[in-house]
Amino acid sequence: MFTGIIEAFGTIKNITREGSNIHFDLGSTLAKELKIDQSLAHDGVCLTVVKVGEEEYRVTAIDETLSKTNLAQWGVGKKVNLERCMAANGRFDGHIVQGHVDQTGVVRSISDENGSWTFVISYDPAMGNVTVEKGSITINGTSLTCFNSKPGEFTVAIIPYTYEHTNFHQLSEGDRVNLEFDIVGKYIQRITKGYM
């Protein structure tokens, strides 16, 4: 389980295909603290660490993950948001995040608000996901609050600290992002639709 509070960046150093899987080798200050078989969120995607070095580590994405996230579009040099699993004695500074991406969205617009930025994100509402005004959303693993919430679209505001310490500063209009919708909202929606 995660909280959507980004700890560090990982930089993709190498990408290797093996059958339908892709191995990503990343450099990060977190590398020396990781261990094999540990879960680590990468832009909101929970991946298992399979190899560890002093400054680099490796994770593997299977076809199912590649088809539901933006990982297939990653390239060498990309900065990735990283978060380790929440410690049992930790604080919920964000919200409950599973690291299971529901679908991808697209950055429709970015506005400089003279001290902060607003990002309008669109997504396919046919997949059944919803946001609510002032509800929680995870974008590339970052816990945020939505506003201007409507079917298939919402807006988030990014403060300078978040802009600098996550990969939001690398995003451009048209970029695809990983979305994990609020788990409480997902359960309520399933219940009201009459199926589990």
Side-chain angles (χ1 to χ4, degrees), residues 20-82:
S20 61
N21 300 335
I22 297 182
H23 303 296
F24 295 99
D25 295 309
L26 296 96
S28 174
T29 56
L30 291 181
K32 59 184 174 289
E33 300 177 43
L34 301 177
K35 62 182 185 193
I36 291 173
D37 206 27
Q38 183 174 4
S39 294
L40 185 67
H42 297 71
D43 272 3
V45 182
C46 180
L47 298 171
T48 302
V49 175
V50 297
K51 184 178 177 183
V52 177
E54 277 297 308
E55 298 179 355
E56 292 188 16
Y57 67 93
R58 173 176 283 188
V59 292
T60 302
I62 63 171
D63 191 52
E64 168 76 5
T65 303
L66 296 168
S67 69
K68 292 191 174 175
T69 67
N70 67 4
L71 271 66
Q73 299 166 0
W74 286 4
V76 171
K78 176 180 171 56
K79 280 204 249 182
V80 178
N81 294 329
L82 300 178

Side-chain angles (χ1 to χ4, degrees), residues 115-163:
S116 65
W117 293 263
T118 55
F119 286 70
V120 177
I121 309 292
S122 67
Y123 62 95
D124 181 4
M127 294 186 71
N129 294 305
V130 297
T131 61
V132 295
E133 196 72 11
K134 303 298 188 247
S136 296
I137 187 74
T138 307
I139 302 174
N140 280 354
T142 308
S143 174
L144 296 164
T145 301
C146 341
F147 61 98
N148 294 338
S149 183
K150 56 186 82 167
E153 188 178 281
F154 62 90
T155 303
V156 292
I158 306 297
I159 63 172
Y161 182 89
T162 304
Y163 190 79

